[in-house]
Amino acid sequence: MSGLRRKSVTPPILIRNARQLLTLRGPKGARRGPELNELGVIPHGAMLIRDGVIEEVGPAVRVENLAAARGAVEINAVGRLVMPGFVDSHTHLMFPPPCTPGEAQREHESAVKVLLTMTGHRLERRGRGYLDAMARHGTTTVEAKTGCGPHESAETKVLRVLAALQGKPLDVVATLLFRFSRAGEGSPEADGAAAEWMCGELMPKIRRRRLARFADLEWDPEPWRQELFRRFLVTARELGFGCKVHADDAMPAAAVRLAVEQEAVSVDHLEHIGPAEVEALAYSQTVATLLPGASFRRGRYAPARALIDAGAAVAIATNFNPCDTPALNMQTAISLACLAMRMSPAEAISAATVNGAHSIGCADRGLLAYGKLADILILNAGDYRELPEQLGTNLVHLTIKRGKVVYREGEVAEGD
Ligand SMILES: [Zn+2]
């Protein structure tokens, strides 16, 4: 019996010969201020994985000679960079649906209509296509939001599709994104009723069905909505959701204050924040999630340097959205964070891995250490400082998700 059992156990995997291995080992929790520059670099590193989890990480001379490494399946990373998979902690993966290139941005209501006309299967196929592309570019965990407005069947449809996509092959962390109808279109009565329905009906239902882990808020400055926003976050916390706030408005001071007051896990965008908000975030546990791809399109960047220098915990993500930010490559987010937001390559890498993980409550990934998930990248680079320089090049040679190779770079055929 024991012999049979031994045979069924998959052999460990040994990643050998890495030119440079980034462990990201460091303090528990999100990295802030100067900690973002500490990548825990091991030159000539190796690591051992078993059953989807990391067993050993260290210098090749030690790890490759361990008894446990005998009989392991070997992956040769010679000349290459080994690092944790990217955690894309802010995407709008399924909503709004894609626009025709060149088309003016679609109205919210018509985007909801398009979504409702599509079958669940078709939506799932589309989502699967995006997730495959993300895996090819090195993302191993993705957060994905709803955001269809006060519309139960649309919100539930997106959440069911996200549940169906879970683990195929990436981990998908679902977030319920609450938004009112556009500013200027609501009324205190209609918004009050929408908030009542969201807090009293939809959120408890989604919590019971475990369809989302986070509750996010599309903040806007409409005065009568401020108490409704607070109520949304208070209710979300009572129900056990982690909270997030979209603060992409031109006057985001009240949004940041609310996020910090309600101990939101993250507050995102932040293109327009000033010194007071920087300071508030530096003294809070809330992660400042910056979206360089969205900023590039809108022409205004969040003050990354001021946030990090003040001691804030900063994450970066793509804000991927099939309609108005269809850019899903975290390597590009890292390049833009360095080239346009003056983050150092090490800060950007920490922000795209370990801090992204903390901003979606996943402390079990984003770093390479004993017991963490074996979500690993092998990149065509010998040094991590090459990452931001190679703007637009996909450097991924291999993506490993929970110990399984889910993407391997293809070969170019020789011409005749
Ligand atoms: Zn967003």
Side-chain angles (χ1 to χ4, degrees):
M1 202 48 204
S2 65
L4 276 177
R5 199 174 299 142
R6 204 170 299 132
K7 260 185 207 162
S8 71
V9 170
T10 45
I13 297 172
L14 175 68
I15 301 177
R16 2 185 350 244
N17 266 330
R19 172 85 166 272
Q20 203 174 61
L21 196 150
L22 312 182
T23 65
L24 278 289
R25 259 187 289 208
K28 276 206 176 84
R31 311 294 157 81
R32 43 183 70 241
E35 293 164 0
L36 280 152
N37 260 322
E38 304 299 327
L39 295 182
V41 178
I42 300 177
H44 306 292
M47 57 189 298
L48 199 64
I49 305 163
R50 195 188 296 270
D51 299 330
V53 174
I54 297 167
E55 201 166 80
E56 289 279 351
V57 184
V61 284
R62 182 177 71 78
V63 176
E64 293 177 12
N65 289 310
L66 289 170
R70 265 179 242 140
V73 174
E74 293 192 7
I75 295 176
N76 194 349
V78 66
R80 292 190 165 104
L81 176 67
V82 174
M83 64 171 287
F86 298 123
V87 178
D88 193 348
S89 57
H90 182 136
T91 82
H92 302 261
L93 189 75
M94 299 310 303
F95 187 85
C99 307
T100 317
E103 181 191 66
Q105 214 181 313
R106 205 185 272 128
E107 289 297 318
H108 179 75
E109 281 68 27
S110 79
V112 173
K113 264 188 211 138
V114 171
L115 180 98
L116 288 171
T117 57
M118 293 176 71
T119 65
H121 270 298
R122 201 164 142 216
L123 281 169
E124 202 181 313
R125 260 203 318 278
R126 177 177 286 166
R128 175 75 204 241
Y130 298 140
L131 292 173
D132 285 357
M134 287 174 169
R136 285 197 288 275
H137 291 88
T139 297
T140 47
T141 298
V142 189
E143 185 260 14
K145 303 176 194 296
T146 61
C148 309
H151 197 302
E152 177 162 351
S153 48
E155 289 284 86
T156 312
K157 191 168 192 177
V158 171
L159 289 170
R160 289 200 186 289
V161 171
L162 293 176
L165 290 167
Q166 172 60 30
K168 296 176 182 172
L170 306 188
D171 289 325
V172 179
V173 175
T175 295
L176 176 74
L177 171 59
F178 176 53
R179 49 179 293 171
F180 288 111
S181 53
R182 265 196 319 195
E185 284 179 3
S187 68
E189 295 71 33
D191 290 348
E196 177 66 36
W197 164 79
M198 175 51 88
C199 295
E201 286 186 39
L202 189 63
M203 262 205 291
K205 209 185 276 180
I206 284 170
R207 188 65 196 160
R208 271 197 309 277
R209 297 180 189 162
R210 301 196 175 278
L211 284 172
R213 212 164 137 187
F214 289 92
D216 193 347
L217 187 60
E218 180 75 57
W219 187 86
D220 70 62
E222 202 73 84
W224 70 75
R225 288 181 176 166
Q226 301 312 307
E227 255 328 291
L228 304 177
F229 287 147
R230 174 171 286 104
R231 186 177 161 209
F232 171 81
L233 294 178
V234 168
T235 307
R237 288 174 71 192
E238 283 169 3
L239 288 169
F241 289 99
C243 288
K244 291 172 169 282
V245 175
H246 261 71
D248 53 345
D249 188 79
M251 305 275 276
V256 173
R257 266 202 309 276
L258 182 64
V260 170
E261 170 205 298
Q262 291 301 322
E263 297 175 343
V265 185
S266 75
V267 56
D268 302 31
H269 280 281
L270 304 171
E271 292 89 352
H272 297 271
I273 59 170
E277 291 77 58
V278 167
E279 169 128 342
L281 286 167
Y283 288 99
S284 77
Q285 295 299 311
T286 301
V287 175
T289 299
L290 313 183
L291 308 165
S295 296
F296 176 71
R297 286 169 169 267
R298 297 175 192 187
R300 187 179 177 114
Y301 291 91
R305 211 44 285 143
L307 282 162
I308 295 170
D309 293 345
V314 167
I316 59 174
T318 61
N319 191 48
F320 171 74
N321 165 332
C323 189
D324 62 30
T325 326
L328 50 72
N329 186 350
M330 284 292 283
Q331 299 164 73
T332 309
I334 288 174
S335 292
L336 290 173
C338 295
L339 301 174
M341 297 165 85
R342 294 189 298 126
M343 287 171 73
S344 73
E347 288 167 345
I349 288 171
S350 298
T353 54
V354 66
N355 274 16
H358 281 290
S359 77
I360 52 169
C362 296
D364 60 348
R365 65 198 74 184
L367 66 164
L368 304 182
Y370 172 80
K372 301 294 179 188
L373 284 190
D375 290 359
I376 300 160
L377 303 180
I378 302 182
L379 300 185
N380 291 320
D383 187 298
Y384 70 86
R385 285 166 294 195
E386 291 172 37
L387 245 81
E389 299 301 326
Q390 304 232 17
L391 179 63
T393 303
N394 184 13
L395 295 174
V396 176
H397 172 65
L398 216 68
T399 304
I400 297 171
K401 176 65 194 166
R402 292 180 183 258
K404 292 204 171 72
V405 175
V406 294
Y407 169 70
R408 188 185 297 272
E409 173 189 28
E411 299 207 344
V412 177
E414 261 181 56
D416 295 324

